[in-house]
Amino acid sequence: MRAIRISGVLLWLTVLWVALWHDISVANVVGGLVVGVLVLAIAGAPRFLAGDDPDRSRVRFFRSIHFAGFVLYKLVEANLYLAWEIVTPQNRINVGVVAVPLRTESSVVEMVVANVITLTPGTVTIESLGTPPVLYVNVMHLHDVEQVRRDLHYIEELSVRAFGSARARDQLEATVSA
């Protein structure tokens, strides 16, 4: 199975190399194979050979696409909301800090959730403490603390499904089903 996985990644890297050159030639294909082997030897192969480590994060393609689509939607929504706030004379800003305990101990999930929060206009991650981490988030339009927590837990859930390790998925399932 590992050989098939490595071969698939090598093929993908070669296709990307040829696409970047915009020319399908023997030299470009061979060059792509050489670059792909070097990339796998330097960075990628140890991950593929690691086996079934329950703490190793895995990227799931379709769940990642769903996650990216959701984040893009939320970014557009937040930008429109902020633009409306700027062009209207009313001031509906109600700033507050919300502590959001994450349900998993995955550092990858913590990083992804914190960065998505910070990328979204009107919110910023102030600090992350503890195990499992508690994110402290500054929210510009704070009207319902529990809604903010539910929204951020949903981002965490999507992140775990897209990028989380087996252990992170198990931790999430244990807290969701409890």
Side-chain angles (χ1 to χ4, degrees):
M1 181 65 173
R2 293 180 192 153
I4 293 172
R5 202 179 310 168
I6 290 173
S7 299
V9 172
L10 181 59
L11 177 65
W12 179 243
L13 290 171
T14 304
V15 167
L16 286 175
W17 181 264
V18 171
L20 286 172
W21 284 100
H22 299 291
D23 182 29
I24 300 176
S25 67
V26 174
N28 280 340
V29 172
V30 170
L33 285 170
V34 169
V35 169
V37 167
L38 288 174
V39 167
L40 286 175
I42 293 170
R47 285 189 20 229
F48 288 106
L49 299 175
D52 292 331
D53 180 11
D55 289 324
R56 185 177 67 134
S57 294
R58 290 177 176 81
V59 176
R60 287 157 198 83
F61 181 73
F62 292 112
R63 296 208 183 246
S64 298
I65 297 295
H66 179 251
F67 178 78
F70 177 78
V71 169
L72 182 63
Y73 171 78
K74 283 303 199 182
L75 286 173
V76 169
E77 179 184 54
N79 276 297
L80 290 174
Y81 195 74
L82 191 59
W84 182 255
E85 182 70 37
I86 291 168
V87 299
T88 58
Q90 292 178 317
N91 182 2
R92 283 173 268 151
I93 293 176
N94 185 27
V95 178
V97 176
V98 179
V100 181
L102 296 182
R103 300 168 291 180
T104 63
E105 296 175 3
S106 170
S107 59
V108 170
V109 170
E110 177 186 358
M111 177 198 63
V112 168
V113 171
N115 284 324
V116 166
I117 291 167
T118 301
L119 281 173
T120 307
T123 58
V124 66
T125 303
I126 300 171
E127 190 170 18
S128 174
L129 297 172
T131 303
V134 176
L135 296 180
Y136 292 90
V137 180
N138 187 355
V139 181
M140 189 166 87
H141 294 100
L142 180 61
H143 302 293
D144 183 2
V145 173
E146 288 307 314
Q147 183 62 42
V148 171
R149 288 190 180 120
R150 280 191 299 273
D151 291 345
L152 297 183
H153 280 157
Y154 185 67
I155 293 171
E156 177 191 20
E157 183 178 331
L158 290 178
S159 176
V160 167
R161 305 256 184 256
F163 312 110
S165 64
R167 187 178 315 254
R169 287 192 314 275
D170 292 343
Q171 289 172 342
L172 184 67
E173 290 302 321
T175 58
V176 169
S177 62

